[in-house]
Amino acid sequence: MFDRRLKILLIVFSLAGLVIVGRLVHLQVINAGYYRKRAEQSLRLKPKQLPFVRGSVVDRTGEVLVADEPGWDLCIDFVALAADIEEKGPPAKDVKERKPNAIDRALGTWRKRYRGRTANKDEAERAFRDEMDITWREITFLFSTEAEPLSTEILRDRARVIVDRVQRIRRAVERRRGFNSPVLEETIPHAIVTGLDPQGLIKAHDLLPDFPWIHVVASSVRTYVDYGTPFAHVLGRLGRVSAETVAEDPMADEPLAKYLADEHVGISGVEWAAERTLRGRRGQITRDRRGEIIEDIPALNGQDVTVALHAALQRRLYGLLGTTVDQVPESSGGAIVVLDVASREVLALVSYPSYDPNRFNELYDSLRDDTVSLPLRFRALANQYAPGSTVKPITCLVGLDTGRIELDTRIECTGYLFPNDRDHWRCWQVHGTSMRKAHGSIDVVGALTGSCNVFMYKVGEMVGVDALCSAFDMMGIGKDPHIGLDEAAWGINPTPSWLASRNSPVYPAHARNFAIGQGEILVTPIQMANLMATYASGRYRWVRLIRGGEPSPEWNLPFKPEHWAAVRQGIYGVVNDPDGTAYKTARLVDDHIALCGKTGSATARPWTTSYRIPYLDAGGQEQVTVVPAGIKKHAIDQFTLEHPLATFDPEDIVAASHWPLVKLPEGQEYSHAWFGGYLQRLGPDRQPDWSAEPRIAIAVLVEFGGSGGRTSGPLAKQVAMELIDLFGPDLDFDAPTRPTVSP
């Protein structure tokens, strides 16, 4: 019996041994690789992410307009920021019921630092808060400058902004995922002081031994070209990543590609339009506890983007426009656009006034409050104006194409459409007099040369609103210019359906107004330049700012060659015929090139520059303040930000000031001054060589400039002279040019 039991026991032990041996074989042989990897991972340090360099933006000649320069950021762990700004709440009655808060997480993170004080949480919390106070004071002492003054209040405000942004990101991610969980932004340090130079880096390293929540992180500083003011609107700006950006990020599932709360993203201009190209991808390096690299994923830098702009031309034209605006007392600003007629690439896109993009943060308050010159407005793309007489060639083309008029049709202009009503529907006023221009009997060429309103009124009545608006549509008015920038407005093409949507019937007056570019029709300067390129070529196509990819599509417009010829002869006559409205001011004396164009004076209304807000302050006392703003809502937003405890009635808020300041006499109106045109090659006889398509089209606008002929005409002539001087008589804008001296 004993032997039997012994054998059974030995068999059991043998089976157990076999199981153990089998398990060891399974662990050490079959799954050796898996467990080796797990063991290595347990010895890994936290991966360190490596920043990428954002791509540069260069002009068509290769000049760098904006690029990343190496720098460093002073960062603080999110858990420290959240704990520092967290209000101290009342103690919980039952310690077990109290949920961990930010200060708990901070004390837990640095438990070794407070090991001797963790038995008394209040004492540990006081110690942490005291050290954070010292942290802010040290940063203020080391990094406050005259250009960027710092204080503990400013730094804590930055911390609040960061914590608020991360919390919004967490909520946005929660909505996307469908459940609540921590986000990466809660585990990483965030920049409190950015763009440190090497001296700042040394100062920052002095803080590291004293405060474990401080880190110095390699970064970059977006640096704009010297004298970058002419390019500020075009290049655009970067802004902090928002919760919306994170929630809508198509790369949200890619740890090294997704947006983080502390990063920047393009929010305007080319920076916005080319974000996916300019943005790179972070790298990552992982080390074991011995410091050896076990994983190294290099960062991928962003790609450079080339814009069609010619930097030297942009600088020259910005200076010219500024000089003209400064000489017109009522003018608030203006725009100049230059296009390559063949490709519709944008050679210059100038908005005045602008600002130094390298000092944007420093200047922002003054830029925001300047509601007269509006330096933050991208006028060349975002502002919409009545086109005035610049659309009269379209009126003539429609009249000829519909057969309502012929090339030899003549219409009598006595200065008034209705001789018995001299207060309405008049031709333009002769400068310096109260008389209206009487052109007599004129045809299409004469009507365009002399910019006759009466001729256009009658043609507009003949063709009607439908035909005019159909032609406006073919010319790109009221349509996306497809330049790719977020700021681009579409203008307004006031079709009958558009008028009906605003409860406006179609009257004969609409056709008359639209025929001379007044009324509801609106265009942007970029659309005006494209309109001139269309006049010059007979083709409409989208404009292009960012180079690369397929050429933009184009459409040949359905007008007869002889009709185009008549219209172009009239446009030539505006500047080069003694009867032309710009002959005295814009005629270019050159053996090779003629400036052709159309002047326009577009009716303009003064705009509001500030609002008067009566209110009761926190003590109940009646007060009144004036807030600079162009829109009532903006005035209210700014006021509530500065006076959070005040009470007021929005109905009591009224406009306090307007621009221009001078009120015109009864019956007179302000007007913006337009000139749109192109440069036409001349033959040996110094007459236009109509077989040669113009290479360059231009649009010039001076806000509240009055007469297009008197104000924008001379400026357009100067633009043409700069083009010839810079590119030569062949207007070869891709040939090497002489350097431009910055003002």
Side-chain angles (χ1 to χ4, degrees), residues 52-194:
F52 60 82
V53 176
R54 189 174 176 86
S56 301
V57 179
V58 301
D59 84 330
R60 67 189 305 121
T61 69
E63 180 180 345
V64 178
L65 303 178
V66 59
D68 270 7
E69 297 292 338
W72 296 268
D73 293 342
L74 180 68
C75 302
I76 295 181
D77 285 320
F78 178 81
V79 65
L81 297 176
D84 180 65
I85 67 170
E86 183 179 60
E87 297 292 336
K88 186 174 181 179
K93 294 180 180 179
D94 188 343
V95 176
K96 294 181 179 180
E97 294 180 357
R98 184 175 60 81
K99 295 181 179 180
N101 55 17
I103 191 68
D104 292 329
R105 288 189 289 273
L107 297 179
T109 302
W110 294 288
R111 57 185 178 276
K112 291 183 179 180
R113 189 176 184 87
Y114 302 105
R115 179 172 295 170
R117 290 168 281 188
T118 51
N120 185 333
K121 179 179 179 298
D122 288 339
E123 183 181 347
E125 180 177 342
R126 282 196 300 272
F128 169 77
R129 293 192 183 279
D130 288 344
E131 290 196 317
M132 284 302 298
D133 287 338
I134 297 172
T135 299
W136 297 131
R137 290 199 297 270
E138 287 290 330
I139 294 175
T140 299
F141 174 75
L142 291 173
F143 301 107
S144 183
T145 64
E146 185 175 348
E148 188 177 3
L150 295 177
S151 66
T152 56
E153 291 77 13
I154 291 174
L155 294 174
R156 279 200 164 101
D157 283 343
R158 292 182 182 180
R160 289 188 184 92
V161 170
I162 291 170
V163 172
D164 178 67
R165 185 167 62 244
V166 171
Q167 290 172 345
R168 283 188 281 113
I169 287 173
R170 178 165 179 162
R171 290 193 294 270
V173 172
E174 178 184 349
R175 288 192 297 269
R176 180 169 61 84
R177 291 175 177 171
F179 59 90
N180 185 14
S181 64
V183 292
L184 177 63
E185 285 79 3
E186 295 175 284
T187 66
I188 61 175
H190 294 261
I192 288 292
V193 181
T194 59

Side-chain angles (χ1 to χ4, degrees), residues 419-480:
N420 296 329
D421 180 4
R422 299 204 164 197
D423 293 329
H424 305 92
W425 309 111
R426 302 169 291 188
C427 212
W428 48 269
Q429 186 172 324
V430 178
H431 181 59
T433 74
S434 60
M435 299 172 56
R436 295 288 164 171
K437 180 68 175 178
H439 292 92
S441 178
I442 50 174
D443 58 8
V444 166
V445 174
L448 289 174
T449 296
S451 196
C452 179
N453 286 349
V454 173
F455 186 98
M456 303 301 162
Y457 291 149
K458 292 186 176 181
V459 174
E461 287 180 344
M462 294 177 194
V463 301
V465 170
D466 261 327
L468 285 172
C469 291
S470 177
F472 293 159
D473 180 75
M474 287 190 290
M475 300 279 188
I477 297 173
K479 297 170 71 173
D480 184 355

Side-chain angles (χ1 to χ4, degrees), residues 40 43-46 285-296:
E40 290 175 354
L43 297 175
R44 287 184 177 187
L45 297 175
K46 183 179 179 180
I285 187 168
T286 307
R287 299 176 185 271
D288 61 22
R289 296 189 181 277
R290 294 171 298 184
E292 296 181 358
I293 297 175
I294 55 179
E295 183 183 48
D296 187 0

